Amino acid sequence: MLGKAQEDAQQMDNMQPGWNLLQSIGQALFELGEREQAQAMLFAAVEALNNYGQTFRYTPTPWSTIVVDFEKVGLREMALKIAHGLLEHDTFDGCTALLNLARHAWETGERERALSFVNAALENVEAISFPPMQTGMRASIASEYARMGQFDRALGDALVTPYSQDEIFVKVAEEMAKQDQIEAAQELLSRVSPGSQLRSAPEAIVRAY
């Protein structure tokens, strides 16, 4: 089956890339309980990604999602190896991978592991060189802290800057509202800069919960 899937992936031209096909097959095999075959497919997807003849024009790249698949099939060392490699190659991509791992760990009840991934993203966020992407990543990290109830960290000086504060306030307020902390969410939203384009978001967020 692996050989046939690899052949099919190599024949994909204008359709979805071969790595995408192999990754999807790996995910399906895992859902069917075929762990070893799923692992083999994911390694084949990595090989296809390494052999991909074009530069990814946008980040995050597919590398930042495949880490979760490796985590799911029990290959945690491989997931971490890819995530750490991404940090060295493209910090934004690496931080995205870490947050993807954090969400998976949180959803599966591994709370300390989830927190460690978010902490690792925070440690690397300043290395993102493009300011708008760093601002967005700061807000994403804050959102994950807020999801975990870590509001002090979400709103701490390590994340909140004059450039990121409005986006962080909105995202953290949304998480507060999800956790029935409506008054706290409203207070935080009142701190969004009057001239910010995000100013229209507050009322809609609070009404949603």
Side-chain angles (χ1 to χ4, degrees):
M1 182 175 184
L2 175 59
K4 179 63 167 60
Q6 288 175 311
E7 289 177 9
D8 291 343
Q10 290 171 354
Q11 294 172 5
M12 303 295 283
D13 292 322
N14 297 321
M15 300 172 67
Q16 63 176 332
W19 51 261
N20 198 348
L21 176 63
L22 292 166
Q23 184 179 0
S24 297
I25 295 173
Q27 293 167 345
L29 286 169
F30 177 72
E31 294 297 326
L32 293 171
E34 301 291 341
R35 183 183 296 267
E36 291 187 3
Q37 288 192 53
Q39 292 174 343
M41 283 293 175
L42 292 178
F43 278 115
V46 165
E47 182 179 357
L49 276 167
N50 282 326
N51 293 331
Y52 187 52
Q54 304 176 43
T55 300
F56 290 108
R57 295 178 59 188
Y58 304 103
T59 53
T61 70
W63 288 106
S64 66
T65 60
I66 202 169
V67 293
V68 176
D69 293 320
F70 276 107
E71 183 85 1
K72 287 180 178 178
V73 301
L75 296 173
R76 290 186 165 186
E77 290 186 5
M78 185 63 179
L80 290 174
K81 180 180 179 180
I82 293 174
H84 291 155
L86 289 176
L87 287 173
E88 296 178 4
H89 180 71
D90 185 307
T91 311
F92 183 86
D93 215 16
C95 286
T96 301
L98 289 170
L99 293 188
N100 287 339
L101 289 169
R103 294 185 192 102
H104 173 70
W106 185 260
E107 291 167 1
T108 55
E110 294 189 83
R111 303 302 169 86
E112 291 300 320
R113 185 172 175 80
L115 183 58
S116 71
F117 286 132
V118 182
N119 289 341
L122 174 59
E123 291 172 2
N124 287 277
V125 70
E126 289 189 2
I128 298 174
S129 59
F130 187 49
M133 295 179 76
Q134 184 183 126
T135 294
M137 183 55 64
R138 284 177 179 275
S140 295
I141 294 170
S143 180
E144 293 307 315
Y145 276 131
R147 184 200 304 267
M148 300 173 183
Q150 303 274 335
F151 296 111
D152 288 343
R153 293 190 183 188
L155 298 170
D157 292 340
L159 282 172
V160 179
T161 70
Y163 302 104
S164 66
Q165 64 179 20
D166 287 340
E167 190 172 350
I168 286 177
F169 291 163
V170 170
K171 287 198 172 186
V172 172
E174 184 174 5
E175 290 299 328
M176 286 177 169
K178 289 178 181 178
Q179 297 173 39
D180 295 323
Q181 299 188 38
I182 303 301
E183 290 185 7
Q186 290 174 327
E187 189 280 327
L188 188 57
L189 290 171
S190 71
R191 295 163 59 185
V192 175
S193 302
S196 172
Q197 294 180 348
L198 297 170
R199 192 68 181 173
S200 60
E203 292 184 5
I205 290 173
V206 172
R207 284 200 305 270
Y209 301 97

